[in-house]
Amino acid sequence: MSRRHQYHQPNAPDSPGDGSDSDIQLDIDELGPNDDEDEDEDDASSAWDHNNPDTRIPLRNLRATRTRRFGIQRDNDAYREGESTAVLHHLSGGRDSDGTMEDSAPLLEASNGSITTRKSPPGGWRQSSLRLAKFFSSTPDGPPTTSLETQDSSLTGTSRNITIGQDPPPRFPLNAVSNAKYTAWSFLPRTLYNEFSFFFNMYFLLVALSQLIPPLRIGYVSTYVFPLVFVLSITLGKEAVDDIARRRRDAEANRGPYTILRLRDPRGTSRRKDKRKERVGKENPTRRGRSNTSSSYPNRLDVIEEEEEILGHNGEESKPAIEVDELTIRSRDIKVGDVVKLGKDQRVPADLVILKSFAAESGLVTYPSRLRQESLPIFSNGEAGSNPQTSGSAITTPVPPTEASLGLGKLSGGTEAGGTGEAFLRTDQLDGETDWKLRLASPLTQSLEPWKFSRLRIVAGRPSKKVNEFVGMIEYMPRSDPQNNSGAPQDRSSQKALTAPLTIDNTAWANTVLASNVTVLAVVVYTGAQTRQAMSTTPPRSKTGLLDCEINDLTKILCALTLTLSIVLVALEGFENREEMKWYVAITRFLILFSTIIPISLRVNLDMGKSVYARFIERDQGISGTVVRTSTIPEELGRIEYLLSDKTGTLTRNEMELKKIHVGTVSYANEAMDEVNSYIRQGFVTGPADDVLEPSSLVTPSSSFHTPSAGNQTTRTRREIGSRVRDLVLALALCHNVTPTAEEEDGQSFTTYQASSPDEIAIVRWTEQVGLRLVHRDRKSITLQSVETSRVVVRVRILEIFPFTSEGKRMGATLQFLQGEASATPSVGDAGEIWFYQKGADTVMTSIVAANDWLDEETANMAREGFRTLVVGRRKLSAQQYLDFSARYKEASLSLQNRDARMARVVKEHLESSLELLGVTGVEDKLQKDVKPSLELLRNAGIKIWMLTGDKVETARCVAVSAKLVSRTQYIHTITKLTPETPAASALDALSLLRSKPDSTALLIDGDSLSYFLSHHRWEFISIAVLLPAVIACRCSPTQKADVAYLIRQYTKKRVACIGDGGNDVSMIQAADVGVGIVGKEGRQASLAADFSITSFHHLTKLLVWHGRNSYKRSAKLAQFIIHRGLIISVCQTMYSIAAHYEPNALYRDWLLVGYATVYTMAPVFSLVLDKDVDEGLASLYPELYKELTNGQSLSYRTFFVWVAISIYQGSIIQGLSQILVGSVDSPQMVSVSFTVLVINELIMVACEVVTWHRFMVASLLGTMAIYIGSIPFLGGYFDLAYVWSLAFAWRVAAISAISLIPPYSVKILRRTLKPPSYRKVQGI
């Protein structure tokens, strides 16, 4: 019995009171074997040895709320039975029915972040109690627990236990990317709901249903039902096509191949099955009945025990019990617990915990596996008294790890580069930060062979969207001899399981990219919808264009007019004077007759027009590669007033280049860099080529600068300048965290650089370009080589590195320059010079360097040019000065309180004072193509631009200036470091400064301050921010980006567009009215989730000012004509009803009604989607034309009522004159004249509105007229055909058409002459 539980839940509480999250206690005596009459006595005595703590079974907190797991019944008796069943279930393994992993176990306990061993606490089971989880929140009454679950509030939910190499429970989601809006089950309900949320669709549904009532029936039912079905079919078909396209793109992304390691037992499972059967046979029948679920599945302990039986009795391994196979599977098939193998530039498919990292050239069999002592955290020997407490903090005695102490057996491999468990990740697609992130494998797993991964278990917190936080634990199950020398079974409880903490440094989140040239083995902990990337992304929503909403409002006005007109017509006849039908039936019939006022074909024409616009966009060679993913909102591109843009990959390429240096008296840039190259050649002269290894061959800062012979004054000046240039270049080549790596491609070897910051890589590349190459760097030394002679010229020993922090804004290093070959590392007392180098932002370095008169001016000049400036300084230290600093620094590093502050204070006191100012560098973040003119054009178009980035404040400021997002005349007001504790008055004062000059001030705000305003002063902030010409928000999370987009939409009611290229921009893109994704070199997540996908930022200008403007103006004109077409026929019906004594009878029935809205007018009206008022060149030259559209002037209440007036006039003239001139109210002659004039009037009105003729327009007009004339012989049931071919018919049609058309067109010409529209002004017409 005891052997079955020794490895289950090793994080059992050390004391009975450690289950502070429960309020129900059960005495363990109630569950003891003495109370179980069916328990075998011998088995019980061995399993429940109360006096031997080594045989104690660690119990953990039972979470009784998991009814699926514990089988809790609803009634009280069954519930009590469920409690006892839960306990028995725990004692039998505590596994889920699906096998191996739990998502509800509390996290393992941590010991100050160190790798620890665990022993059972003293005492027997009768001294313990078992707690069941409480169902309602209350104040815990137990002592404070140290479990990770209570250490971090983010983990106060379910956590998960992951056993590597075993199948996960089915409740874990698939690792699939999904940008689809609908499922097979939700498509019809959601699309129909969206369609009938439009008023006119609901109106026509009611009209169609009314035709099922005989008293209300007018003509054929199909006349009203078919158009509605046709409209819905078109709209639903477009939605289906768009969503199927999204699913295909998702499927393509989910088919990406990845290599995983499959851990399998070559002997099969027969032995394990026999062992399970044997154990199940020994179980008590009653207990088996209660816990057969867990006992019928393989326990991880069975695998470990069987593995150990294969091993030698003396600890020597005959062969691995687990074989490792490499399999290539699809991304969607990756599961929790799989070990994924990643290489350089490969995208991370899921949220991973890094187990092992080694050089890419290493094979799977020869993993570097020896642990480096200096990279390990402090170990604890686990003995009582090893952790004395001081001031409430644990002091752990360092114990150097050995192979035996780790229980890993004999390790192979070395400590070559790449075998230290390090890897760099590019996370700009996740958090927007350009700096590479250093990630580390846990020291516990770095030295393991892959087949030993089956002994690992990971405890991770619940899924979270916090990309910068992770708390977990990893446990290595020890190997033990199955039998001791006496042949008796070994007590497994005496074995120690190794555990180590897991932090954010051990993770690789989905959608990041492995940047370093290493191979990484990592285990999957979260998949699919539970990854950080997916949880930071809002679900896609169905977007409705502003034009659709405006038309929906206009149809409500038309409906009100229709209802009013129907009531008026019935009232004129009298409510009580009707004998054939009731007055309310008459009103309803009039409503049905006038339903053409709200044309159902409007939606069909608009949707078809949108498809045409999408086709134009995708076929435009000027923006090749553009994809329209949401074809329902192209006219929204013409209404944008706010543009929210990402920085990295959107405005910039994330490619840094050092463009300028300044050494105090002279600056170098562009072609002048050749002079820097010559200074470096002279400054690193090392003697003859065959004398490379002589002591004189190495250069130090004190080495003399060699200049060619010339005049004394000239030589002295060049020597001074050359010495300054050499010292600056040398400082830049040494003061960094860059590591060179050798790579090979197509048989050619070359060197690449790895660092957490692209700025540092750019600087090191520049030093190589001017003649000084970094050839080697490890944790202890740096070697520089002359590019010209390929000889080593500088070797330094790294004494201390002070890394860059966002608070300090600087990094430094203390270095000792070596002389000679220096095969043995010298001590501080040797002759090597010791120098302290430091570089950082000018805001902090100004007070650190010695007094000067040029630093402030030059850094300001570089900032105005958009460069990212770094100030470089140095200071020489004597051996005694360094020893004094080192002693104080080490003393501060051992502090238990305020350690970082004390260490920083020591550095400031001993090193950071009166540094020699070497120079200033200007690094440019290369912008995307044509970003500057694109942003200027968009501003001229009236679009306010916000830049939301996850990058640093200084970086965002420089990019905003270099990209001309902020003009030189604008003041940048900076708000940073606001916290929830900040007084409201001071925060509002910072905003009040913006209110004074909103037109000439730009806002720069960091993520913490933005979060503060969004939480506490939401409306005060947004009311001021929307008035500013530009806003730059830094350190923004994906959720914050989406919140800003939503807040602008909510407050201003204006159209907001968001553009980005990374996965961290998906939420922002989906929250916008129009989402634009850029297909970046780092991935297509933003592109797949966007409404429009482009390949470069400068394509956005054409997408908006050309295609967006055309789409909106065309849709507005098309909608007005269709409304006009419906209104004019309804006015004709009204005139007819008045003349027919207010009887609700149809003027045009059946085919005439349907044909008028389709074959007789549809093509010419729809051809308006090809019209354009200006050409592309003028639209780009005069972006102010776009600004007019934001006010909605093309389709407004004013234009709507103008068209209503035109329709009333023309309808009255057509029907009134037809009745007067023909001399009949209800005759085939009158109908033929009236209907013919109606068709001709609509065709000529279309021709009068065309600005730029297209051949399709001419063809549609002539073709439609020919179709109408050709169909007249088939209209004998409605027309008097003999009358139609008479001269009387012709002159009446001509006269009525002229009277209905000439006055409106004359007014239009007059108005155009007196007040010409803007497009005619720019055309010079």
Side-chain angles (χ1 to χ4, degrees):
M1 183 70 181
S2 63
R3 290 179 58 83
R4 300 189 61 201
H5 307 286
Q6 282 153 16
Y7 290 113
H8 183 73
Q9 196 60 31
N11 59 322
D14 293 338
S15 63
D18 199 21
S20 59
D21 61 342
S22 18
D23 58 359
I24 304 174
Q25 295 192 13
L26 297 178
D27 191 346
I28 200 63
D29 290 330
E30 300 176 4
L31 307 175
N34 296 334
D35 296 335
D36 192 345
E37 297 177 358
D38 297 328
E39 186 69 46
D40 183 84
E41 293 296 334
D42 295 335
D43 190 26
S45 61
S46 62
W48 296 92
D49 187 355
H50 300 289
N51 298 320
N52 185 4
D54 292 336
T55 62
R56 171 182 169 182
I57 304 172
L59 292 179
R60 65 181 177 88
N61 296 341
L62 297 181
R63 299 196 175 273
T65 55
R66 298 296 295 269
T67 57
R68 174 185 60 80
R69 186 168 165 198
F70 293 150
I72 298 178
Q73 306 294 326
R74 290 186 179 274
D75 57 273
N76 294 335
D77 294 336
Y79 178 76
R80 295 190 183 95
E81 181 180 356
E83 291 180 344
S84 59
T85 303
V87 177
L88 297 179
H89 176 76
H90 173 76
L91 296 178
S92 61
R95 316 294 296 182
D96 280 347
S97 61
D98 43 28
T100 60
M101 302 188 191
E102 302 174 69
D103 208 11
S104 61
L107 291 173
L108 297 171
E109 296 177 3
S111 297
N112 301 325
S114 63
I115 300 179
T116 60
T117 56
R118 181 173 279 111
K119 279 189 173 184
S120 300
W125 282 113
R126 296 190 181 276
Q127 300 173 357
S128 304
S129 61
L130 181 65
R131 291 178 177 266
L132 293 179
K134 55 189 174 183
F135 294 92
F136 305 101
S137 60
S138 62
T139 304
D141 53 0
T145 177
T146 59
S147 68
L148 295 179
E149 185 175 355
T150 57
Q151 288 180 2
D152 192 336
S153 60
S154 66
L155 299 174
T156 57
T158 58
S159 57
R160 59 181 58 185
N161 292 349
I162 302 170
T163 303
I164 297 178
Q166 298 191 12
D167 291 335
R171 63 177 173 273
F172 291 162
L174 292 175
N175 190 50
V177 177
S178 178
N179 290 294
K181 293 182 180 179
Y182 312 104
T183 65
W185 299 104
S186 66
F187 176 74
L188 277 179
R190 289 185 60 185
T191 52
L192 290 177
Y193 174 81
N194 291 334
E195 288 305 307
F196 288 114
S197 62
F198 287 100
F199 174 78
F200 48 80
N201 282 345
M202 179 60 68
Y203 177 80
F204 273 100
L205 176 63
L206 296 177
V207 170
L209 293 177
S210 69
Q211 296 305 290
L212 300 178
I213 304 174
L216 302 179
R217 186 174 300 168
I218 301 175
Y220 297 111
V221 177
S222 59
T223 304
Y224 297 90
V225 174
F226 176 75
L228 178 63
V229 173
F230 180 71
V231 168
L232 294 179
S233 300
I234 293 294
T235 306
L236 268 62
K238 287 177 80 295
E239 285 290 321
V241 169
D242 289 346
D243 212 51
I244 289 173
R246 293 188 193 95
R247 288 185 174 275
R248 288 176 177 171
R249 293 188 295 267
D250 292 341
E252 181 181 352
N254 293 328
R255 284 195 299 266
Y258 285 90
T259 301
I260 67 167
L261 304 187
R262 185 73 72 191
L263 309 179
R264 64 180 183 88
D265 186 351
R267 302 176 307 281
T269 59
S270 58
R271 290 168 54 88
R272 191 176 301 127
K273 290 181 179 179
D274 294 340
K275 181 173 292 188
R276 288 204 309 272
K277 290 180 180 179
E278 179 181 354
R279 291 189 175 181
V280 170
K282 292 182 180 181
E283 292 277 352
N284 181 282
T286 304
R287 180 164 297 183
R288 285 202 307 270
R290 294 180 178 178
S291 57
N292 56 358
T293 301
S294 61
S295 62
S296 62
Y297 287 88
N299 192 301
R300 188 165 62 97
L301 183 57
D302 298 332
V303 182
I304 296 175
E305 288 180 345
E306 184 177 351
E307 174 190 324
E308 292 172 354
E309 291 178 3
I310 307 300
L311 304 178
H313 293 287
N314 296 325
E316 297 182 358
E317 304 173 3
S318 58
K319 65 175 182 178
I322 301 295
E323 290 188 358
V324 181
D325 297 328
E326 287 192 4
L327 302 177
T328 300
I329 64 173
R330 300 177 302 176
S331 174
R332 66 171 292 117
D333 295 330
I334 294 176
K335 299 178 295 186
V336 173
D338 284 345
V339 178
V340 181
K341 181 181 178 182
L342 298 174
K344 183 181 179 182
D345 293 330
Q346 195 167 9
R347 184 168 299 281
V348 178
D351 285 357
L352 311 177
V353 167
I354 298 176
L355 300 178
K356 191 179 186 69
S357 173
F358 52 92
E361 59 269 13
S362 300
L364 184 62
V365 180
T366 59
Y367 289 129
S369 55
R370 186 181 303 278
L371 287 173
R372 297 184 60 168
Q373 178 177 342
E374 61 185 7
S375 65
L376 287 172
I378 297 174
F379 281 72
S380 172
N381 57 12
E383 299 296 334
S386 63
N387 295 330
Q389 301 295 321
T390 303
S391 301
S393 301
I395 304 177
T396 308
T397 304
V399 179
T402 63
E403 296 173 357
S405 67
L406 288 174
L408 305 180
K410 184 177 179 59
L411 301 177
S412 60
T415 59
E416 64 270 16
T420 57
E422 297 179 354
F424 283 102
L425 296 178
R426 291 198 298 268
T427 64
D428 53 322
Q429 299 295 298
L430 180 67
D431 55 20
E433 297 187 18
T434 57
D435 293 353
W436 291 3
K437 303 299 188 300
L438 176 63
R439 293 293 185 257
L440 305 170
S442 173
L444 183 61
T445 60
Q446 175 64 24
S447 298
L448 290 179
E449 298 296 338
W451 68 271
K452 292 183 179 179
F453 289 168
S454 60
R455 293 176 175 269
L456 295 174
R457 186 182 71 167
I458 291 177
V459 182
R462 64 177 180 178
S464 170
K465 63 181 180 181
K466 298 179 180 179
V467 297
N468 295 319
E469 295 181 12
F470 177 74
V471 178
M473 188 76 74
I474 189 167
E475 177 186 20
Y476 178 74
M477 312 301 282
R479 176 178 60 82
S480 61
D481 295 337
Q483 291 184 343
N484 54 24
N485 295 334
S486 62
Q490 184 177 359
D491 185 4
R492 193 175 296 272
S493 64
S494 63
Q495 300 298 315
K496 301 176 182 178
L498 293 172
T499 60
L502 295 175
T503 65
I504 187 65
D505 294 331
N506 308 118
T507 62
W509 297 143
N511 206 34
T512 59
V513 178
L514 182 61
S516 51
N517 188 28
V518 296
T519 298
V520 168
L521 301 181
V523 60
V524 179
V525 291
Y526 306 110
T527 54
Q530 294 182 348
T531 61
R532 259 48 173 189
Q533 168 68 35
M535 297 189 71
S536 298
T537 303
T538 56
R541 63 185 180 92
S542 298
K543 296 183 179 181
T544 302
L546 182 59
L547 183 69
D548 292 331
C549 298
E550 291 171 344
I551 293 176
N552 194 50
D553 293 337
L554 296 180
T555 55
K556 294 177 182 179
I557 297 176
L558 291 175
C559 182
L561 292 176
T562 302
L563 179 60
T564 303
L565 185 59
S566 302
I567 296 175
V568 169
L569 291 177
V570 174
L572 291 176
E573 176 67 16
F575 291 101
E576 304 297 335
N577 297 331
R578 294 185 174 273
E579 299 179 356
E580 298 180 359
M581 64 184 69
K582 299 293 185 180
W583 62 269
Y584 51 83
V585 175
I587 291 177
T588 307
R589 286 176 63 89
F590 273 123
L591 281 173
I592 297 171
L593 287 173
F594 296 148
S595 62
T596 53
I597 290 181
I598 307 174
I600 193 171
S601 60
L602 178 60
R603 285 302 304 276
V604 177
N605 283 271
L606 288 177
D607 288 344
M608 293 174 61
K610 293 173 182 179
S611 298
V612 173
Y613 309 148
R615 184 69 172 169
F616 287 161
I617 292 173
E618 293 181 339
R619 296 187 62 182
D620 191 338
Q621 296 301 315
I623 51 174
S624 59
T626 301
V627 179
V628 180
R629 306 201 187 280
T630 304
S631 59
T632 58
I633 56 172
E635 63 277 340
E636 291 295 278
L637 294 170
R639 307 287 294 276
I640 301 302
E641 294 192 49
Y642 290 90
L643 175 65
L644 275 56
S645 174
D646 180 39
K647 180 187 72 69
T648 307
T650 303
L651 298 178
T652 68
R653 305 179 192 176
N654 197 24
E655 297 176 3
M656 310 298 174
E657 182 180 1
L658 193 148
K659 303 289 289 187
K660 188 176 183 179
I661 65 171
H662 196 286
V663 293
T665 56
V666 63
S667 63
Y668 298 92
N670 302 324
E671 292 80 6
M673 290 297 183
D674 294 336
E675 189 173 352
V676 176
N677 201 336
S678 65
Y679 283 133
I680 297 303
R681 287 197 304 269
Q682 299 168 17
F684 291 91
V685 175
T686 56
D690 57 354
D691 201 21
V692 169
L693 299 180
E694 291 298 320
S696 59
S697 64
L698 296 182
V699 175
T700 67
S702 301
S703 301
S704 59
F705 185 83
H706 302 278
T707 57
S709 59
N712 292 334
Q713 185 64 33
T714 304
T715 303
R716 186 180 303 109
T717 303
R718 287 188 56 83
R719 186 185 303 116
E720 293 176 354
I721 296 176
S723 179
R724 289 190 178 189
V725 171
R726 184 196 66 175
D727 291 342
L728 176 61
V729 174
L730 180 61
L732 294 175
L734 294 174
C735 186
H736 54 71
N737 281 307
V738 180
T739 302
T741 58
E743 296 188 10
E744 184 173 340
E745 184 176 346
D746 299 331
Q748 300 292 328
S749 298
F750 58 93
T751 300
T752 60
Y753 298 109
Q754 298 176 4
S756 62
S757 171
D759 297 62
E760 292 197 327
I761 295 178
I763 291 174
V764 172
R765 284 177 177 167
W766 177 81
T767 62
E768 181 179 2
Q769 292 174 2
V770 297
L772 197 58
R773 177 186 295 128
L774 174 68
V775 293
H776 173 76
R777 191 234 172 83
D778 56 28
R779 298 184 180 183
K780 295 299 181 183
S781 64
I782 298 176
T783 302
L784 303 180
Q785 182 187 73
S786 172
V787 175
E788 182 182 20
T789 62
S790 299
R791 294 182 301 175
V792 174
V793 293
V794 176
R795 279 199 178 113
V796 299
R797 177 192 177 200
I798 301 175
L799 302 179
E800 299 286 352
I801 290 289
F802 312 104
F804 177 89
T805 62
S806 57
E807 293 79 15
K809 299 180 182 180
R810 59 191 183 275
M811 73 87 57
T814 52
L815 309 172
Q816 184 178 33
F817 286 81
L818 307 184
Q819 297 178 353
E821 185 177 1
S823 56
T825 303
S827 64
V828 176
D830 291 340
E833 302 174 4
I834 300 177
W835 289 81
F836 168 66
Y837 287 97
Q838 190 170 62
K839 64 182 180 182
D842 58 288
T843 55
V844 296
M845 292 294 292
T846 302
S847 60
I848 295 176
V849 298
N852 60 87
D853 57 357
W854 59 270
L855 178 59
D856 293 339
E857 180 181 358
E858 187 57 34
T859 53
N861 293 335
M862 288 189 180
R864 280 192 291 269
E865 296 180 52
F867 295 148
R868 305 164 71 163
T869 58
L870 283 176
V871 179
V872 185
R874 70 176 182 179
R875 179 183 177 185
K876 188 174 182 179
L877 303 176
S878 65
Q880 186 59 44
Q881 286 177 323
Y882 174 74
L883 290 175
D884 293 341
F885 159 75
S886 180
R888 290 285 307 278
Y889 190 72
K890 290 181 179 179
E891 179 183 352
S893 67
L894 297 177
S895 302
L896 296 178
Q897 297 179 353
N898 300 324
R899 177 183 299 175
D900 293 340
R902 292 187 179 184
M903 294 170 67
R905 189 181 305 116
V906 172
V907 173
K908 184 176 181 63
E909 293 175 354
H910 288 76
L911 303 179
E912 295 180 340
S913 60
S914 301
L915 267 62
E916 177 188 355
L917 177 59
L918 296 179
V920 181
T921 65
V923 177
E924 179 187 45
D925 189 352
K926 292 184 179 179
L927 300 176
Q928 294 282 2
K929 180 182 178 181
D930 295 335
V931 163
K932 294 180 182 179
S934 298
L935 291 177
E936 183 179 1
L937 188 147
L938 293 175
R939 277 199 302 269
N940 293 335
I943 299 175
K944 295 182 178 180
I945 304 171
W946 293 34
M947 185 174 74
L948 309 180
T949 177
D951 221 329
K952 298 184 288 292
V953 174
E954 294 80 7
T955 304
R957 181 194 296 271
C958 293
V959 171
V961 173
S962 62
K964 301 295 186 271
L965 178 63
V966 177
S967 65
R968 294 188 177 184
T969 60
Q970 291 176 347
Y971 167 71
I972 301 178
H973 180 64
T974 305
I975 300 177
T976 58
K977 298 182 180 179
L978 296 184
T979 63
E981 291 76 21
T982 303
S986 60
L988 294 177
D989 287 343
L991 288 179
S992 63
L993 297 175
L994 297 170
R995 196 181 297 274
S996 58
K997 295 182 179 180
D999 295 333
S1000 60
T1001 306
L1003 172 63
L1004 177 63
I1005 187 171
D1006 65 354
D1008 292 337
S1009 303
L1010 180 61
S1011 177
Y1012 173 82
F1013 282 120
L1014 294 180
S1015 300
H1016 297 85
H1017 307 288
R1018 192 179 188 90
W1019 300 113
E1020 292 87 345
F1021 169 76
I1022 196 64
S1023 63
I1024 298 177
V1026 295
L1027 302 176
L1028 304 178
V1031 175
I1032 304 102
C1034 317
R1035 294 295 187 186
C1036 288
S1037 66
T1039 304
Q1040 282 181 322
K1041 292 182 178 182
D1043 289 343
V1044 170
Y1046 176 77
L1047 186 59
I1048 296 176
R1049 289 175 49 216
Q1050 185 181 27
Y1051 180 80
T1052 64
K1053 309 300 181 184
K1054 305 293 185 181
R1055 299 290 96 178
V1056 177
C1058 293
I1059 182 171
D1061 75 315
N1064 61 312
D1065 302 317
V1066 171
S1067 295
M1068 175 180 69
I1069 287 173
Q1070 293 179 340
D1073 296 297
V1074 177
V1076 182
I1078 297 180
V1079 182
K1081 59 184 178 181
E1082 302 299 339
R1084 301 191 302 166
Q1085 285 73 21
S1087 169
L1088 292 174
D1091 303 308
F1092 300 88
S1093 172
I1094 59 179
T1095 57
S1096 180
F1097 182 84
H1098 74 281
H1099 290 173
L1100 181 65
T1101 57
K1102 188 173 185 180
L1103 190 66
L1104 296 182
V1105 289
W1106 174 241
H1107 290 289
R1109 183 176 184 275
N1110 286 340
S1111 299
Y1112 171 64
K1113 289 187 71 68
R1114 290 165 176 172
S1115 289
K1117 185 179 291 186
L1118 179 62
Q1120 291 173 143
F1121 254 93
I1122 295 175
I1123 292 175
H1124 165 264
R1125 186 178 63 188
L1127 271 172
I1128 194 172
I1129 196 173
S1130 298
V1131 173
C1132 292
Q1133 175 67 49
T1134 303
M1135 297 295 295
Y1136 170 75
S1137 298
I1138 293 173
H1141 305 289
Y1142 308 104
E1143 291 296 328
N1145 297 322
L1147 170 61
Y1148 309 120
R1149 295 190 299 270
D1150 304 333
W1151 169 250
L1152 292 183
L1153 192 61
V1154 175
Y1156 172 75
T1158 54
V1159 295
Y1160 296 151
T1161 59
M1162 181 174 179
V1165 173
F1166 185 73
S1167 68
L1168 291 173
V1169 300
L1170 303 175
D1171 192 19
K1172 58 182 180 181
D1173 53 1
V1174 295
D1175 57 23
E1176 182 181 342
L1178 287 176
S1180 300
L1181 184 61
Y1182 299 99
E1184 292 80 8
L1185 293 173
Y1186 182 91
K1187 194 174 184 179
E1188 296 178 349
L1189 305 184
T1190 58
N1191 298 325
Q1193 295 180 358
S1194 297
L1195 180 62
S1196 61
Y1197 288 116
R1198 186 185 65 83
T1199 59
F1200 169 73
F1201 285 110
V1202 168
W1203 279 100
V1204 168
I1206 294 174
S1207 301
I1208 293 174
Y1209 168 78
Q1210 292 182 335
S1212 302
I1213 293 296
I1214 292 172
Q1215 186 61 29
L1217 291 181
S1218 296
Q1219 294 174 174
I1220 293 173
L1221 295 179
V1222 174
S1224 174
V1225 175
D1226 189 8
S1227 65
Q1229 293 85 354
M1230 187 277 298
V1231 172
S1232 60
V1233 171
S1234 173
F1235 190 80
T1236 302
V1237 174
L1238 196 62
V1239 173
I1240 294 174
N1241 180 85
E1242 196 66 21
L1243 298 182
I1244 297 178
M1245 284 292 292
V1246 171
C1248 293
E1249 289 296 321
V1250 172
V1251 178
T1252 304
W1253 283 92
H1254 190 277
R1255 60 179 180 272
F1256 180 78
M1257 295 178 178
V1258 178
S1260 64
L1261 286 170
L1262 297 179
T1264 299
M1265 195 65 203
I1267 290 174
Y1268 176 70
I1269 295 174
S1271 66
I1272 290 178
F1274 302 96
L1275 302 178
Y1278 310 100
F1279 293 173
D1280 184 347
L1281 297 182
Y1283 179 75
V1284 169
W1285 305 113
S1286 66
L1287 183 61
F1289 172 82
W1291 76 262
R1292 286 176 174 83
V1293 169
I1296 297 173
S1297 299
I1299 296 174
S1300 67
L1301 288 168
I1302 292 177
Y1305 187 72
S1306 300
V1307 173
K1308 178 180 178 181
I1309 294 297
L1310 180 62
R1311 184 177 180 275
R1312 181 184 296 177
T1313 303
L1314 297 177
K1315 188 179 179 181
S1318 299
Y1319 74 87
R1320 295 184 66 85
K1321 293 179 181 178
V1322 300
Q1323 287 178 332
I1325 300 177

